[in-house]
Amino acid sequence: MNWNAWIRQTHRWLSIAFTAVVVAIFVTLGMGKEPAQWVYFLPLFPLALMTLTGLYMFALPYAAKWRGAQRADG
């Protein structure tokens, strides 16, 4: 698997983990239980990693254009 595919797959799995944690928190709140304060920080780790992988994927088309322009000028 190449680097870009690995980043995309990681981003997908992180989004599943993030969604599962957020849903679990809402279900816990819906049952009338108040989770420990640290539980609210659990979604931040996958969210931070998703931000990094998302920014990488966002920049890919621009980097490809930039590299293509450099090769054409070469």
Side-chain angles (χ1 to χ4, degrees), residues 5-70:
W6 187 83
I7 292 287
R8 288 181 189 280
Q9 192 68 26
T10 301
H11 188 81
R12 287 183 192 119
W13 281 106
L14 286 170
S15 68
I16 291 170
F18 173 78
T19 304
V21 170
V22 171
V23 167
I25 291 172
F26 276 103
V27 167
T28 305
L29 288 172
M31 293 178 5
K33 299 179 182 178
E34 183 67 29
Q37 197 66 29
W38 60 268
V39 173
Y40 295 109
F41 293 108
L42 285 177
L44 294 179
F45 180 67
L47 185 61
L49 292 176
M50 280 175 37
T51 301
L52 295 174
T53 56
L55 287 171
Y56 174 80
M57 289 188 299
F58 178 79
L60 278 178
Y62 300 105
K65 283 182 191 177
W66 182 70
R67 275 187 267 143
Q70 274 192 339

